[in-house]
Coordinates of all heavy atoms in Angstrom, one line a residue:
M1 N -14.6 -8.7 -11.4 CA -14.6 -7.2 -11.5 C -13.9 -6.6 -10.3 O -14.1 -7.0 -9.1 CB -16.0 -6.7 -11.5 CG -16.2 -5.2 -11.5 SD -15.7 -4.4 -13.0 CE -17.1 -4.6 -14.1
L2 N -12.9 -5.8 -10.5 CA -12.2 -5.1 -9.5 C -12.8 -3.8 -9.2 O -13.1 -3.0 -10.1 CB -10.7 -4.9 -9.9 CG -9.8 -4.2 -9.0 CD1 -9.5 -5.1 -7.8 CD2 -8.5 -3.8 -9.6
T3 N -13.1 -3.5 -7.9 CA -13.7 -2.2 -7.6 C -12.7 -1.3 -6.9 O -12.1 -1.7 -6.0 CB -14.9 -2.5 -6.6 OG1 -15.8 -3.4 -7.2 CG2 -15.6 -1.2 -6.2
I4 N -12.6 -0.1 -7.5 CA -11.8 0.9 -6.9 C -12.8 1.9 -6.2 O -13.7 2.5 -6.8 CB -11.0 1.7 -8.0 CG1 -10.1 0.8 -8.8 CG2 -10.2 2.8 -7.3 CD1 -9.4 1.5 -9.9
V5 N -12.6 2.1 -4.9 CA -13.5 2.9 -4.1 C -12.7 4.2 -3.8 O -11.7 4.2 -3.0 CB -14.0 2.2 -2.8 CG1 -15.0 3.1 -2.1 CG2 -14.5 0.9 -3.2
I6 N -13.2 5.3 -4.3 CA -12.5 6.6 -4.0 C -13.3 7.4 -3.0 O -14.5 7.5 -3.0 CB -12.5 7.5 -5.3 CG1 -11.7 6.7 -6.4 CG2 -11.8 8.8 -5.0 CD1 -11.4 7.5 -7.6
C7 N -12.6 7.8 -2.0 CA -13.2 8.6 -0.9 C -13.6 10.0 -1.5 O -12.8 10.7 -2.1 CB -12.2 8.8 0.2 SG -13.0 9.8 1.5
V8 N -14.9 10.3 -1.2 CA -15.3 11.7 -1.6 C -15.8 12.4 -0.4 O -16.5 13.4 -0.4 CB -16.5 11.6 -2.6 CG1 -16.0 11.0 -3.9 CG2 -17.7 10.8 -2.1
G9 N -15.2 12.0 0.8 CA -15.4 12.8 2.0 C -14.8 14.2 1.9 O -14.0 14.5 0.9
S10 N -15.1 15.1 2.8 CA -14.7 16.5 2.6 C -13.2 16.7 2.5 O -12.7 17.4 1.7 CB -15.3 17.4 3.7 OG -15.0 16.9 4.9
S11 N -12.4 16.0 3.3 CA -10.9 16.2 3.3 C -10.4 15.7 1.9 O -9.6 16.4 1.3 CB -10.2 15.3 4.4 OG -10.1 16.0 5.5
C12 N -10.8 14.5 1.5 CA -10.4 14.0 0.2 C -10.9 14.9 -0.9 O -10.2 15.1 -1.9 CB -10.7 12.6 0.1 SG -9.8 11.5 1.2
H13 N -12.1 15.4 -0.8 CA -12.7 16.2 -1.9 C -11.8 17.4 -2.1 O -11.5 17.7 -3.2 CB -14.1 16.6 -1.5 CG -14.7 17.4 -2.6 ND1 -15.2 16.9 -3.8 CD2 -14.9 18.8 -2.6 CE1 -15.6 17.9 -4.5 NE2 -15.5 19.0 -3.8
V14 N -11.4 18.1 -1.0 CA -10.6 19.3 -1.2 C -9.2 19.0 -1.7 O -8.6 19.9 -2.2 CB -10.6 20.2 0.1 CG1 -11.9 20.7 0.5 CG2 -9.9 19.5 1.2
R15 N -8.8 17.8 -1.5 CA -7.5 17.4 -2.0 C -7.5 16.8 -3.4 O -6.5 16.2 -3.9 CB -6.8 16.4 -1.0 CG -6.5 17.2 0.3 CD -5.8 16.3 1.3 NE -5.4 17.1 2.4 CZ -5.7 16.8 3.7 NH1 -6.4 15.8 4.0 NH2 -5.4 17.6 4.6
G16 N -8.7 16.8 -4.0 CA -8.7 16.5 -5.4 C -9.3 15.1 -5.8 O -9.0 14.5 -6.8
S17 N -10.2 14.6 -4.9 CA -10.8 13.3 -5.3 C -11.5 13.3 -6.6 O -11.5 12.3 -7.3 CB -11.7 12.8 -4.2 OG -12.8 13.7 -3.9
D18 N -12.1 14.4 -7.0 CA -12.8 14.5 -8.3 C -11.8 14.3 -9.4 O -12.0 13.6 -10.4 CB -13.5 15.8 -8.5 CG -14.8 15.9 -7.7 OD1 -15.2 14.9 -7.0 OD2 -15.4 17.0 -7.7
E19 N -10.6 14.9 -9.3 CA -9.6 14.9 -10.3 C -9.0 13.5 -10.4 O -8.7 12.9 -11.4 CB -8.5 15.9 -10.1 CG -9.0 17.3 -10.3 CD -8.4 18.2 -9.2 OE1 -7.3 18.7 -9.4 OE2 -9.0 18.4 -8.2
V20 N -8.7 12.9 -9.2 CA -8.2 11.5 -9.2 C -9.2 10.5 -9.9 O -8.8 9.7 -10.7 CB -8.0 11.0 -7.7 CG1 -7.6 9.5 -7.7 CG2 -6.8 11.9 -7.1
A21 N -10.5 10.7 -9.5 CA -11.5 9.8 -10.1 C -11.5 10.0 -11.6 O -11.6 9.1 -12.4 CB -12.9 10.1 -9.5
A22 N -11.5 11.3 -12.1 CA -11.5 11.6 -13.5 C -10.3 11.0 -14.2 O -10.4 10.4 -15.3 CB -11.6 13.1 -13.8
A23 N -9.1 11.1 -13.6 CA -7.9 10.5 -14.2 C -8.0 9.0 -14.3 O -7.6 8.4 -15.3 CB -6.7 10.9 -13.4
L24 N -8.5 8.4 -13.2 CA -8.6 6.9 -13.2 C -9.6 6.5 -14.3 O -9.4 5.5 -15.0 CB -8.9 6.4 -11.9 CG -7.9 6.6 -10.8 CD1 -8.4 6.1 -9.4 CD2 -6.6 5.9 -11.1
E25 N -10.7 7.2 -14.3 CA -11.8 6.9 -15.3 C -11.3 7.0 -16.7 O -11.6 6.1 -17.6 CB -12.9 7.8 -15.1 CG -14.2 7.5 -15.9 CD -14.9 6.3 -15.4 OE1 -15.1 6.2 -14.2 OE2 -15.3 5.5 -16.2
A26 N -10.4 8.0 -17.0 CA -9.9 8.2 -18.3 C -9.0 7.0 -18.7 O -9.0 6.5 -19.8 CB -9.1 9.5 -18.4
I27 N -8.2 6.5 -17.7 CA -7.3 5.4 -18.0 C -8.2 4.1 -18.3 O -7.9 3.4 -19.3 CB -6.4 5.1 -16.8 CG1 -5.4 6.2 -16.6 CG2 -5.6 3.8 -17.0 CD1 -4.6 6.2 -15.3
I28 N -9.2 3.9 -17.4 CA -10.0 2.7 -17.6 C -10.7 2.7 -19.0 O -10.8 1.7 -19.6 CB -11.0 2.7 -16.4 CG1 -10.3 2.4 -15.1 CG2 -12.1 1.6 -16.7 CD1 -11.1 2.7 -13.9
E29 N -11.2 3.9 -19.4 CA -11.9 4.0 -20.6 C -11.0 3.9 -21.8 O -11.2 3.2 -22.8 CB -12.7 5.3 -20.7 CG -13.7 5.3 -19.6 CD -15.0 5.9 -20.0 OE1 -15.1 6.7 -21.0 OE2 -16.0 5.7 -19.3
S30 N -9.8 4.6 -21.7 CA -8.9 4.6 -22.9 C -8.3 3.2 -23.1 O -8.0 2.8 -24.2 CB -7.9 5.7 -22.8 OG -6.9 5.3 -21.8
E31 N -8.2 2.4 -22.0 CA -7.6 1.1 -22.2 C -8.7 0.0 -22.2 O -8.4 -1.2 -22.2 CB -6.6 0.8 -21.0 CG -5.5 1.8 -21.0 CD -4.3 1.4 -20.1 OE1 -4.2 0.2 -19.7 OE2 -3.6 2.3 -19.7
K32 N -9.9 0.5 -22.4 CA -11.0 -0.5 -22.5 C -11.1 -1.5 -21.4 O -11.2 -2.7 -21.6 CB -11.0 -1.1 -23.9 CG -11.0 -0.1 -25.0 CD -11.2 -0.8 -26.4 CE -11.2 0.1 -27.6 NZ -11.0 1.5 -27.4
L33 N -11.0 -1.0 -20.2 CA -11.0 -1.9 -19.0 C -12.3 -1.8 -18.3 O -12.4 -2.3 -17.1 CB -9.8 -1.5 -18.1 CG -8.4 -1.6 -18.6 CD1 -7.4 -1.0 -17.7 CD2 -8.1 -3.1 -18.9
T34 N -13.3 -1.3 -18.9 CA -14.6 -1.1 -18.2 C -15.2 -2.4 -17.8 O -16.1 -2.5 -16.9 CB -15.6 -0.3 -19.0 OG1 -15.6 -0.8 -20.3 CG2 -15.1 1.2 -19.0
D35 N -14.8 -3.5 -18.4 CA -15.4 -4.8 -18.0 C -14.6 -5.5 -16.9 O -14.9 -6.5 -16.4 CB -15.5 -5.8 -19.2 CG -14.1 -6.0 -19.9 OD1 -13.2 -5.1 -19.7 OD2 -14.0 -7.0 -20.6
Q36 N -13.5 -4.8 -16.5 CA -12.6 -5.4 -15.5 C -12.5 -4.5 -14.2 O -12.3 -5.0 -13.2 CB -11.1 -5.5 -16.0 CG -10.9 -6.6 -17.0 CD -9.5 -6.9 -17.2 OE1 -8.8 -7.3 -16.2 NE2 -8.9 -6.6 -18.4
V37 N -12.8 -3.2 -14.4 CA -12.6 -2.3 -13.3 C -13.8 -1.4 -13.1 O -14.3 -0.9 -14.2 CB -11.3 -1.4 -13.4 CG1 -11.1 -0.6 -12.2 CG2 -10.1 -2.2 -13.9
E38 N -14.3 -1.2 -12.0 CA -15.3 -0.2 -11.7 C -14.9 0.8 -10.7 O -14.1 0.4 -9.8 CB -16.7 -0.8 -11.4 CG -16.7 -1.5 -10.0 CD -18.0 -2.0 -9.6 OE1 -19.0 -1.7 -10.2 OE2 -18.1 -2.7 -8.6
L39 N -15.4 2.0 -10.8 CA -15.0 3.1 -9.9 C -16.2 3.5 -9.2 O -17.2 3.9 -9.8 CB -14.5 4.2 -10.8 CG -13.4 5.1 -10.5 CD1 -12.1 4.4 -10.0 CD2 -13.0 6.0 -11.7
I40 N -16.1 3.5 -7.9 CA -17.3 4.1 -7.1 C -16.8 5.0 -6.0 O -15.6 5.0 -5.7 CB -18.1 2.9 -6.5 CG1 -17.3 2.1 -5.5 CG2 -18.7 2.0 -7.6 CD1 -18.2 1.1 -4.8
G41 N -17.7 5.8 -5.5 CA -17.3 6.8 -4.5 C -17.8 6.3 -3.1 O -18.8 5.5 -3.0
A42 N -17.1 6.7 -2.1 CA -17.6 6.4 -0.7 C -17.2 7.5 0.2 O -16.3 8.4 -0.1 CB -16.9 5.1 -0.2
F43 N -17.8 7.6 1.3 CA -17.5 8.7 2.3 C -16.3 8.3 3.1 O -15.7 7.3 2.9 CB -18.8 9.0 3.1 CG -19.9 9.6 2.3 CD1 -21.0 8.9 2.0 CD2 -19.6 10.9 1.7 CE1 -22.0 9.5 1.2 CE2 -20.6 11.4 0.9 CZ -21.8 10.8 0.6
C44 N -16.0 9.2 4.0 CA -14.7 9.2 4.7 C -14.3 7.8 5.2 O -15.1 7.0 5.8 CB -14.8 10.1 5.9 SG -13.2 10.2 6.8
M45 N -13.0 7.4 4.9 CA -12.5 6.1 5.3 C -11.6 6.2 6.5 O -10.8 5.3 6.8 CB -11.7 5.6 4.1 CG -12.5 5.4 2.8 SD -11.5 4.9 1.4 CE -12.7 4.8 0.1
D46 N -11.7 7.3 7.2 CA -10.8 7.6 8.4 C -9.4 7.5 8.1 O -8.6 7.1 9.0 CB -11.2 6.5 9.5 CG -12.7 6.8 10.0 OD1 -13.1 7.9 10.0 OD2 -13.3 5.8 10.3
H47 N -9.0 7.9 6.9 CA -7.5 8.0 6.6 C -7.3 9.3 6.0 O -6.6 9.4 4.9 CB -7.1 6.9 5.6 CG -6.9 5.5 6.2 ND1 -8.0 4.8 6.8 CD2 -5.8 4.8 6.4 CE1 -7.5 3.7 7.2 NE2 -6.2 3.6 7.0
C48 N -7.8 10.4 6.6 CA -7.7 11.7 6.0 C -6.3 12.2 6.1 O -6.0 12.8 7.2 CB -8.7 12.7 6.7 SG -10.3 12.0 7.0
S49 N -5.5 12.0 5.2 CA -4.1 12.4 5.3 C -3.9 13.5 4.2 O -4.8 14.1 3.8 CB -3.1 11.3 5.2 OG -3.2 10.6 4.0
M50 N -2.7 13.6 3.7 CA -2.4 14.6 2.7 C -2.7 14.1 1.3 O -1.8 14.1 0.4 CB -1.0 15.1 2.8 CG -0.6 15.7 4.1 SD -1.7 17.2 4.4 CE -1.1 18.3 3.1
G51 N -3.9 13.7 1.0 CA -4.2 13.3 -0.3 C -5.5 12.4 -0.3 O -6.1 12.3 0.8
V52 N -5.8 11.9 -1.4 CA -7.1 11.2 -1.5 C -6.9 9.7 -1.0 O -5.9 9.1 -1.3 CB -7.6 11.2 -3.0 CG1 -8.8 10.4 -3.2 CG2 -7.7 12.7 -3.4
S53 N -7.9 9.2 -0.3 CA -7.9 7.8 0.1 C -8.7 7.0 -1.0 O -9.7 7.4 -1.4 CB -8.6 7.6 1.4 OG -7.8 8.3 2.4
I54 N -8.1 5.8 -1.2 CA -8.7 4.9 -2.2 C -8.6 3.5 -1.6 O -7.6 3.1 -1.2 CB -7.9 4.9 -3.5 CG1 -7.9 6.3 -4.2 CG2 -8.4 3.9 -4.5 CD1 -7.1 6.5 -5.4
R55 N -9.8 2.8 -1.6 CA -9.8 1.4 -1.2 C -9.9 0.5 -2.3 O -10.7 0.6 -3.2 CB -11.0 1.2 -0.2 CG -10.9 -0.1 0.5 CD -11.9 -0.3 1.6 NE -13.3 -0.4 1.0 CZ -14.3 0.4 1.4 NH1 -14.1 1.3 2.3 NH2 -15.5 0.2 0.8
V56 N -9.0 -0.5 -2.3 CA -9.0 -1.6 -3.3 C -9.0 -2.9 -2.5 O -8.1 -3.2 -1.8 CB -7.8 -1.5 -4.2 CG1 -7.9 -2.6 -5.3 CG2 -7.7 -0.1 -4.9
G57 N -10.1 -3.6 -2.6 CA -10.2 -4.8 -1.8 C -10.2 -4.4 -0.3 O -10.9 -3.5 0.1
D58 N -9.3 -5.0 0.5 CA -9.2 -4.7 1.9 C -8.2 -3.7 2.2 O -7.9 -3.3 3.4 CB -8.9 -6.0 2.7 CG -10.0 -7.0 2.7 OD1 -11.1 -6.6 2.5 OD2 -9.7 -8.2 2.8
T59 N -7.5 -3.1 1.2 CA -6.4 -2.2 1.4 C -6.9 -0.8 1.1 O -7.5 -0.5 0.1 CB -5.3 -2.5 0.4 OG1 -4.9 -3.9 0.6 CG2 -4.1 -1.7 0.7
I60 N -6.5 0.1 2.1 CA -6.8 1.5 1.9 C -5.5 2.2 1.6 O -4.5 2.1 2.3 CB -7.4 2.2 3.1 CG1 -8.8 1.6 3.3 CG2 -7.5 3.7 2.9 CD1 -9.6 2.1 4.5
H61 N -5.4 2.8 0.4 CA -4.3 3.6 0.0 C -4.6 5.1 0.3 O -5.6 5.6 -0.2 CB -4.0 3.5 -1.5 CG -3.8 2.1 -1.9 ND1 -2.6 1.4 -1.9 CD2 -4.7 1.2 -2.4 CE1 -2.8 0.2 -2.3 NE2 -4.1 0.0 -2.6
S62 N -3.8 5.7 1.1 CA -4.1 7.1 1.4 C -3.0 8.0 0.8 O -1.9 7.5 0.6 CB -4.3 7.4 2.9 OG -3.2 6.9 3.6
G63 N -3.3 9.3 0.6 CA -2.3 10.2 0.2 C -2.1 10.2 -1.3 O -1.1 10.6 -1.8
V64 N -3.1 9.7 -2.1 CA -3.0 9.7 -3.6 C -3.3 11.2 -4.1 O -4.3 11.7 -3.8 CB -3.9 8.7 -4.2 CG1 -3.7 8.7 -5.7 CG2 -3.7 7.3 -3.7
L65 N -2.3 11.7 -4.8 CA -2.5 13.1 -5.4 C -3.1 13.0 -6.8 O -2.7 12.0 -7.5 CB -1.2 13.8 -5.4 CG -0.6 14.0 -4.0 CD1 0.8 14.6 -4.1 CD2 -1.4 14.9 -3.1
P66 N -3.8 14.0 -7.2 CA -4.3 13.9 -8.6 C -3.2 13.7 -9.6 O -3.3 13.0 -10.6 CB -5.0 15.3 -8.8 CG -5.4 15.6 -7.4 CD -4.4 15.1 -6.5
S67 N -2.0 14.4 -9.4 CA -0.9 14.2 -10.3 C -0.3 12.9 -10.3 O 0.5 12.5 -11.2 CB 0.2 15.3 -9.9 OG 0.6 15.1 -8.6
E68 N -0.6 12.1 -9.3 CA -0.1 10.7 -9.2 C -1.1 9.6 -9.5 O -0.8 8.4 -9.3 CB 0.4 10.5 -7.8 CG 1.6 11.4 -7.4 CD 1.9 11.2 -5.9 OE1 1.2 10.6 -5.1 OE2 3.0 11.7 -5.5
A69 N -2.2 10.0 -10.1 CA -3.3 9.0 -10.3 C -2.8 7.9 -11.3 O -3.1 6.7 -11.1 CB -4.5 9.7 -10.8
A70 N -2.1 8.3 -12.3 CA -1.7 7.3 -13.3 C -0.6 6.4 -12.7 O -0.6 5.2 -13.0 CB -1.1 8.1 -14.5
I71 N 0.3 7.0 -11.9 CA 1.3 6.2 -11.2 C 0.6 5.2 -10.3 O 1.0 4.0 -10.2 CB 2.3 7.1 -10.5 CG1 3.1 7.9 -11.5 CG2 3.2 6.2 -9.6 CD1 3.9 9.0 -10.8
F72 N -0.4 5.7 -9.5 CA -1.1 4.8 -8.6 C -1.7 3.7 -9.4 O -1.7 2.5 -9.0 CB -2.2 5.6 -7.9 CG -3.2 4.8 -7.1 CD1 -2.9 4.3 -5.9 CD2 -4.4 4.4 -7.7 CE1 -3.8 3.4 -5.2 CE2 -5.3 3.6 -7.0 CZ -5.0 3.1 -5.8
F73 N -2.3 4.0 -10.5 CA -3.0 2.9 -11.3 C -2.0 1.9 -11.8 O -2.2 0.7 -11.6 CB -3.7 3.5 -12.5 CG -4.6 2.5 -13.3 CD1 -5.9 2.4 -12.9 CD2 -4.0 1.7 -14.3 CE1 -6.7 1.5 -13.6 CE2 -4.8 0.8 -14.9 CZ -6.2 0.7 -14.6
D74 N -0.9 2.3 -12.3 CA 0.2 1.4 -12.7 C 0.7 0.5 -11.6 O 1.0 -0.7 -11.8 CB 1.3 2.1 -13.4 CG 0.9 2.6 -14.8 OD1 -0.1 2.1 -15.4 OD2 1.6 3.5 -15.3
R75 N 0.9 1.1 -10.5 CA 1.5 0.4 -9.4 C 0.6 -0.5 -8.6 O 0.9 -1.6 -8.2 CB 2.1 1.5 -8.4 CG 3.1 0.9 -7.4 CD 3.6 2.0 -6.4 NE 2.5 2.7 -5.8 CZ 2.5 4.0 -5.5 NH1 3.6 4.7 -5.7 NH2 1.5 4.5 -4.9
E76 N -0.6 0.0 -8.4 CA -1.5 -0.7 -7.5 C -2.7 -1.5 -8.2 O -3.2 -2.5 -7.7 CB -2.2 0.2 -6.5 CG -1.1 1.0 -5.7 CD -0.3 0.2 -4.7 OE1 -0.7 -1.0 -4.5 OE2 0.7 0.7 -4.3
I77 N -3.1 -1.0 -9.3 CA -4.3 -1.6 -10.0 C -3.9 -2.5 -11.1 O -4.3 -3.6 -11.2 CB -5.2 -0.5 -10.5 CG1 -5.6 0.5 -9.5 CG2 -6.4 -1.1 -11.2 CD1 -6.3 0.0 -8.3
R78 N -3.0 -2.1 -11.9 CA -2.6 -2.9 -13.1 C -2.2 -4.3 -12.8 O -2.6 -5.2 -13.5 CB -1.6 -2.1 -14.0 CG -1.5 -2.6 -15.4 CD -0.5 -1.9 -16.2 NE -0.7 -0.4 -16.3 CZ -1.7 0.1 -17.2 NH1 -2.4 -0.7 -17.9 NH2 -1.8 1.4 -17.3
P79 N -1.4 -4.4 -11.7 CA -0.9 -5.8 -11.4 C -2.1 -6.7 -11.0 O -2.0 -8.0 -11.1 CB 0.0 -5.6 -10.2 CG 0.5 -4.2 -10.3 CD -0.7 -3.5 -10.9
L80 N -3.2 -6.2 -10.6 CA -4.4 -7.0 -10.3 C -5.2 -7.4 -11.4 O -6.2 -8.2 -11.3 CB -5.3 -6.2 -9.2 CG -4.5 -5.7 -8.0 CD1 -5.5 -4.9 -7.2 CD2 -4.0 -6.9 -7.2
L81 N -4.9 -6.8 -12.6 CA -5.7 -7.1 -13.8 C -5.1 -8.2 -14.6 O -3.9 -8.4 -14.5 CB -5.9 -5.8 -14.6 CG -6.5 -4.6 -13.9 CD1 -6.5 -3.4 -14.8 CD2 -7.9 -4.9 -13.4
T82 N -5.9 -8.8 -15.5 CA -5.3 -9.8 -16.4 C -5.3 -9.2 -17.8 O -6.2 -8.6 -18.2 CB -6.1 -11.1 -16.3 OG1 -7.5 -10.7 -16.6 CG2 -6.0 -11.7 -15.0
G83 N -4.2 -9.5 -18.5 CA -4.1 -9.1 -19.9 C -4.2 -7.6 -20.1 O -4.9 -7.2 -21.1
S84 N -3.7 -6.8 -19.3 CA -3.8 -5.3 -19.4 C -2.5 -4.6 -19.5 O -2.3 -3.6 -19.0 CB -4.6 -4.8 -18.3 OG -3.9 -4.9 -17.1
A85 N -1.5 -5.2 -20.2 CA -0.2 -4.6 -20.3 C -0.4 -3.3 -21.0 O -1.3 -3.2 -21.9 CB 0.7 -5.5 -21.1
P86 N 0.4 -2.3 -20.7 CA 0.2 -1.0 -21.4 C 0.4 -1.1 -22.9 O 1.2 -1.9 -23.3 CB 1.3 -0.1 -20.8 CG 1.7 -0.8 -19.5 CD 1.4 -2.3 -19.7
Q87 N -0.3 -0.4 -23.6 CA -0.3 -0.4 -25.1 C 1.0 0.2 -25.6 O 1.4 1.2 -25.1 CB -1.4 0.3 -25.7 CG -2.8 -0.1 -25.3 CD -3.1 -1.6 -25.8 OE1 -2.9 -1.8 -26.9 NE2 -3.5 -2.4 -24.9
Ligands
FES101 S1 -12.3 12.4 3.9 FE1 -11.3 10.8 2.8 S2 -10.5 9.5 4.3 FE2 -11.5 11.0 5.4

């Protein structure tokens, strides 16, 4: 199981962490990846930059915008999954 940890600290919240989470959740559900990926929230990751911080494993990605959530998923998450080529 791959865990995507989305920062819901105040900086990230005002920059759209709810929308990023909703967009990622929609991808995970529509592609039936709920047995491979889970989404959880966490407080400030000390990477408060111009966008939402997301931790995957030991890597923190900062600056993810709601409009880029799908691109983020394709670039950073999909390669970590097995058998999840886009439909
Ligand atoms: S509020 Fe998200 S990294 Fe600080």
Side-chain angles (χ1 to χ4, degrees):
M1 176 69 81
L2 180 71
T3 301
I4 302 174
V5 185
I6 300 187
C7 179
V8 293
S10 53
S11 272
C12 291
H13 179 75
V14 299
R15 291 182 175 126
S17 56
D18 285 356
E19 292 139 86
V20 171
L24 294 178
E25 188 71 46
I27 294 168
I28 291 165
E29 299 220 338
S30 73
E31 298 193 22
K32 302 188 180 7
L33 298 172
T34 49
D35 58 339
Q36 289 194 62
V37 190
E38 67 175 349
L39 212 54
I40 63 174
F43 292 111
C44 183
M45 300 174 183
D46 294 324
H47 281 67
C48 318
S49 61
M50 295 304 292
V52 177
S53 296
I54 299 177
R55 188 171 70 235
V56 182
D58 292 333
T59 304
I60 294 178
H61 306 273
S62 55
V64 180
L65 301 173
S67 60
E68 296 173 349
I71 294 168
F72 169 81
F73 189 91
D74 284 343
R75 193 180 57 212
E76 305 293 345
I77 307 300
R78 201 179 297 284
L80 304 176
L81 304 176
T82 53
S84 64
Q87 304 292 315

